[in-house]
Amino acid sequence: MTSRPKVGLLGGSFNPIHKAHIKLALSALEQLPLAHVELLPAGQPWQKDNLSVSAEHRLAMLKIAAEGHPKIFFNTMEIERDGPTYTIDTVRQLDPAIDYYWLMGTDQLQNFTTWNGWQEIMQTLTLVVAKRPDYSSEIPAEMLAAQVIGKEIIQIDFDEIDISSTEVRQRLRNHQDVSDYIHPEVLRYIKEHQLYQ
């Protein structure tokens, strides 16, 4: 019997993609037996206001940031789907022959039980959690109770990086330096297309 391929998924609005996103994907690749990680940009995240930057621009920046990392791919499934982006819809579209690992920060862990169909997500994917500053890494009791054998929540070692896309956008609007936060070619792309002005 051949073993099933294992693939990491990192979803987000990537508005814009920053160094912590790539670092999380690389940390998961180092610590878990994943064939690769797919970055999964959201079309219209249901918990966020309309995104200021088009899916095309966000995808272009994502491709730039992932360059040079042969095990980081991208998946346009959510961008191609109409209407608000719900993770549960994505989960139901995934290949059942692959074991998927959903990568997220402790900020998402703490509100995970507000997600549509969160129990089904937990039964279908393995959740992988990385520590984010200011958010507890304690797994909520409801989630512990909903765990199924073989899909237990995994916590990976991750040097906390205090970066958020919100902060990057604010700094760009205020004409502050963001070179520590995002890939230099992503910054060049942002300036060239006058994004986040």
Side-chain angles (χ1 to χ4, degrees), residues 76 145 185 192:
T76 56
E185 291 300 320
E192 192 181 310

Side-chain angles (χ1 to χ4, degrees), residues 67-134:
E67 221 167 272
H69 300 293
K71 289 191 171 184
I72 299 181
F73 299 2
F74 37 88
N75 181 326
T76 56
M77 183 193 295
E78 292 191 344
I79 285 178
E80 289 160 11
R81 203 167 55 231
D82 289 333
T85 301
Y86 293 105
T87 303
I88 187 62
D89 296 332
T90 303
V91 167
R92 289 172 182 160
Q93 271 186 275
L94 293 172
D95 183 344
I98 295 175
D99 289 333
Y100 286 99
Y101 290 69
W102 187 267
L103 313 180
M104 62 187 198
T106 44
D107 51 336
Q108 291 178 312
L109 176 71
Q110 295 310 324
N111 76 7
F112 189 78
T113 56
T114 67
W115 294 21
N116 274 15
W118 66 270
Q119 292 101 329
E120 186 182 333
I121 297 170
M122 283 187 69
Q123 288 157 14
T124 312
L125 310 173
T126 300
L127 299 183
V128 177
V129 180
K131 183 85 175 77
R132 282 283 307 268
D134 306 323

Side-chain angles (χ1 to χ4, degrees), residues 17 54-66 186 189 193:
I17 187 163
S54 72
E56 290 72 28
H57 280 316
R58 289 184 292 119
L59 188 58
M61 290 187 281
L62 208 139
K63 288 176 180 176
I64 293 166
V186 171
Y189 183 94
H193 292 89

Side-chain angles (χ1 to χ4, degrees), residues 3 29 46 49 62 91 104 132-133 138 144 147 167 172 185 189 191 193:
S3 64
L29 285 164
W46 66 279
D49 296 332
L62 208 139
V91 167
M104 62 187 198
R132 282 283 307 268
E138 196 172 317
L144 284 173
Q147 283 189 121
E167 187 183 346
L172 285 164
E185 291 300 320
Y189 183 94
K191 287 178 174 170
H193 292 89

